[in-house]
Amino acid sequence: MSRTAAEIIKEFREIAAHPEKAIANHKRETGKGAVGIMPVYCPEEIVHASGYLPIGMWGAQKKTISKARTYLPPFACSIMQSVMELQLEGVYDELSAVIFSVPCDTLKCMSQKWHGKAPAIVFAHPQNRKNARKVADAYCREEYAIVKEKLEDILGVTITNSAIKESIAVYNENRAACRRFSDIVADYPGNICPSDRHAVLKSRWFMEKSKHTALLNELMAAIESEPKKKFTGKKVVVSGIMLEPYEVLDIFEENGLAIVADDLAQETRNFRQDVGNDEDALLALAKAWNDFDGCSLATDAAKPKGRILIDAVRKYDADAVIVCMMKFCDPEEFDYPILLQEFEEAGVRNLQIEIDQESTAFEQIKTRIQTFAEIL
Ligand code: SF4
């Protein structure tokens, strides 16, 4: 008998809450461990092609940050404070390696201060991507080749071009499924609440991607087979690095807000576009990075993020954009005044809230969202 959408979502929530179980299951099934992927962008397909499980390292809500203060100033972004604290507590000790890209000062600092048991592999994405495209492609391919070589050394495996190509196909299929899921949620705003949407998309960071795709396909079929519930609230598009914890997502739901599209680094920015099928798999991955648009961490003087968000508002008939600003995230904060101006010029209603992984009280966010929902 087929399962209901609620039953499948329960499984996604369980996976999103327990990455350690995903690692243990992968080890039991394949004999291979896991490689940590530091936010935000990484050619994960290279790890997948090694047979190891790529695991996203997105921190966790922490009541108090204490140990991390020895290594990071209090004004380092909230997510890295929490990742550093978890590292010092030994949470990441069982990873076989950790991969860092270093597009911001905080990540540069983190990669230098990393002293967990898992060895760190650090690489840099090119930032002058649009003016000297061929050079940027060649540079990025070389960085990815170094990541591959270091992984091979650390894990004691060989990662072939054809294995990476197969992994790219697995990832493209997963990206397409995630995009379709996001569209289905926009079509069924009364059926899927914001926190369920988030759990489904977050769990892709802890699952082998073909398994995530299979479970997601089962969920989408279940949603579409169930009656569409009436939705009388307002629709919003959200942007930022990530939108957590569940308490904040519940505030959206309590105030009748449905998330019909997102531009979160943890969610859509990681599956918005596919990787091409060049014969040279590393070059295909490099080109995908240089094609990628709409993120404060991927420099583009044309600043297309505002346009992407405004287009999403029009496409999904949304009532507003909510920018979820990670506390002390410089790259996103620098871009915010430009976004704000573009929203105002386009007549897009908008709100900014602050995401803080050290916070356990959400009264301020509650008041802001409640007031905003009333205005809408
Ligand atoms: S949240 Fe912002 S400042 Fe922190 S690591 Fe990510 S991009 Fe860098």
Side-chain angles (χ1 to χ4, degrees):
M1 211 177 89
S2 47
R3 296 193 291 172
T4 64
E7 287 167 338
I8 304 164
I9 286 171
K10 196 172 165 205
E11 186 176 342
F12 274 117
R13 278 186 173 260
E14 181 69 18
I15 294 165
H18 298 288
E20 74 286 355
K21 282 191 192 164
I23 298 175
N25 289 342
H26 188 77
K27 233 178 215 165
R28 203 174 44 244
E29 286 166 18
T30 67
K32 290 181 172 173
V35 171
I37 306 292
M38 286 290 280
V40 174
Y41 304 108
C42 174
E44 246 190 75
E45 288 89 335
I46 303 174
V47 179
H48 185 269
S50 76
Y52 279 69
L53 181 69
I55 286 278
M57 297 167 70
W58 292 90
Q61 210 66 23
K62 301 285 294 174
K63 247 187 194 157
T64 46
I65 301 280
S66 55
K67 302 180 188 74
R69 298 278 193 251
T70 312
Y71 298 93
L72 293 174
F75 50 83
C77 69
S78 164
I79 180 171
M80 287 305 135
Q81 301 273 4
S82 120
V83 171
M84 179 64 92
E85 189 78 6
L86 292 171
Q87 187 233 277
L88 294 165
E89 287 172 357
V91 170
Y92 300 128
D93 281 355
E94 67 174 306
L95 296 173
S96 301
V98 173
I99 304 182
F100 286 82
S101 65
V102 287
C104 70
D105 289 347
T106 314
L107 276 163
K108 282 186 188 80
C109 180
M110 281 291 287
S111 68
Q112 288 158 9
K113 294 183 176 188
W114 184 260
H115 54 280
K117 280 191 186 158
I121 299 174
V122 184
F123 74 98
H125 283 114
Q127 290 292 336
N128 187 1
R129 307 174 308 144
K130 306 290 180 186
N131 297 332
R133 182 55 202 259
K134 281 206 167 140
V135 179
D137 285 347
Y139 172 85
C140 193
R141 190 206 174 278
E142 197 49 37
E143 287 289 293
Y144 289 177
I146 293 168
V147 171
K148 180 177 99 70
E149 277 163 29
K150 288 189 176 166
L151 269 177
E152 287 175 326
D153 277 354
I154 294 167
L155 305 178
V157 295
T158 302
I159 304 171
T160 63
N161 186 58
S162 64
I164 302 174
K165 280 180 69 121
E166 279 168 29
S167 295
I168 289 174
V170 168
Y171 272 66
N172 280 347
E173 204 182 335
N174 180 256
R175 292 181 185 109
C178 290
R179 293 194 294 267
R180 196 164 94 73
F181 169 71
S182 182
D183 282 353
I184 288 176
V185 175
D187 201 26
Y188 288 74
N191 293 48
I192 308 291
C193 69
S195 64
D196 284 344
R197 180 188 186 279
H198 170 67
V200 170
L201 294 176
K202 183 178 182 184
S203 63
R204 80 185 283 276
W205 288 99
F206 312 129
M207 291 176 80
E208 190 281 314
K209 292 295 184 287
S210 63
K211 288 187 176 168
H212 185 260
T213 306
L215 195 57
L216 195 47
N217 284 336
E218 187 189 351
L219 173 62
M220 291 190 285
I223 297 170
E224 288 179 320
S225 71
E226 292 173 9
K228 203 179 263 189
K229 292 182 189 159
K230 198 171 170 203
F231 177 71
T232 54
K234 297 292 177 188
K235 298 176 181 177
V236 296
V237 175
V238 294
S239 178
I241 296 293
M242 63 197 288
L243 174 48
E244 278 190 357
Y246 287 114
E247 285 92 329
V248 173
L249 288 151
D250 291 343
I251 295 171
F252 277 63
E253 189 186 359
E254 286 156 18
N255 288 283
L257 300 183
I259 296 174
V260 291
D262 79 81
D263 164 56
L264 299 168
Q266 192 191 36
E267 298 180 15
T268 291
R269 280 186 223 167
N270 258 282
F271 55 75
R272 189 155 54 209
Q273 71 175 53
D274 288 342
V275 176
N277 61 357
D278 299 58
E279 195 38 50
D280 179 345
L282 292 180
L283 184 62
L285 290 166
K287 283 181 175 173
W289 167 257
N290 290 322
D291 282 340
F292 176 60
D293 278 328
C295 177
S296 309
L297 299 175
T299 308
D300 185 350
K303 298 277 178 201
K305 187 153 107 171
R307 176 186 45 78
I308 290 172
L309 282 165
I310 292 164
D311 286 350
V313 168
R314 308 265 189 264
K315 181 176 172 189
Y316 295 98
D317 194 22
D319 297 281
V321 173
I322 298 186
V323 176
C324 309
M325 186 64 73
M326 177 63 67
K327 189 174 181 183
F328 297 137
C329 173
D330 289 350
E332 294 256 315
E333 285 174 352
F334 290 148
D335 273 350
Y336 181 63
I338 301 167
L339 283 186
L340 192 57
Q341 193 180 341
E342 287 175 343
F343 293 155
E344 300 298 326
E345 282 168 8
V348 170
R349 285 177 286 189
N350 60 89
L351 174 75
Q352 192 214 71
I353 58 172
E354 186 176 73
I355 300 300
D356 181 358
Q357 290 202 336
E358 206 181 330
S359 174
T360 48
F362 306 103
E363 289 310 313
Q364 197 192 32
I365 290 182
K366 202 173 197 166
T367 309
R368 287 176 65 73
I369 290 184
Q370 195 173 21
T371 311
F372 190 60
E374 280 168 18
I375 292 167
L376 291 179

